[in-house]
């Protein structure tokens, strides 16, 4: 029953993607809050146009990287992946129903 195994695998992967998708909005919000705080931090740490401390670049880069990993584009891709997995599982179910 290779088709049945494949169908179950698709459903399991779709569940995993759904779980991952639940986590992304909170992570994206965290990144947006960090980026929103950046001007205030820069103003407080560099009041006279001094160069920012090295850790501040890491702070900003970490937020930007997280936004790429969990922002709207990443969420849209996961939605599409989940829809594709569910469609494959449904197509396999139709095949199995027709052959049994």
């Amino acid at each position: 029953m290779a088709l049945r195994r494949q169908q179950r695998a698709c459903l399991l992967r779709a569940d995993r993607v759904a779980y991952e998708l639940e986590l992304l909005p909170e992570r994206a919000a965290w990144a947006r809050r960090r980026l929103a705080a950046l001007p205030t931090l820069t103003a407080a740490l560099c009041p006279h146009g001094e160069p920012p401390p090295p850790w501040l670049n890491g702070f900003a880069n970490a937020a930007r990287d997280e936004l790429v990993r969990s922002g709207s584009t990443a969420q849209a891709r996961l939605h599409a992946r989940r829809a594709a997995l569910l469609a494959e599982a449904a197509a396999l179910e139709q095949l199995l129903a027709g052959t049994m």
Side-chain angles (χ1 to χ4, degrees):
M1 294 302 236
L3 290 179
R4 183 65 68 193
R5 277 195 305 275
Q6 179 63 22
Q7 181 198 29
R8 285 189 210 131
C10 286
L11 292 172
L12 181 61
R13 284 194 302 263
D15 285 346
R16 287 181 186 155
V17 168
Y19 174 73
E20 189 177 341
L21 197 50
E22 287 178 18
L23 302 177
L24 293 189
E26 184 177 331
R27 292 169 62 182
W30 170 87
R32 284 187 196 98
R33 284 192 304 270
R34 270 193 164 208
L35 290 173
L38 196 55
T40 304
L41 283 171
T42 303
L45 296 170
C46 313
H48 303 291
E50 302 154 2
W55 64 265
L56 193 57
N57 286 332
F59 179 91
N61 289 336
R64 286 186 196 100
D65 290 346
E66 184 58 45
L67 204 51
V68 168
R69 283 190 305 269
S70 60
S72 57
T73 300
Q75 290 177 39
R77 291 179 65 203
L78 283 180
H79 276 292
R81 185 175 304 149
R82 184 169 185 270
L85 288 165
L86 292 173
E88 183 178 349
L92 289 168
E93 180 62 35
Q94 287 180 344
L95 285 171
L96 288 165
T99 59
M100 295 185 125

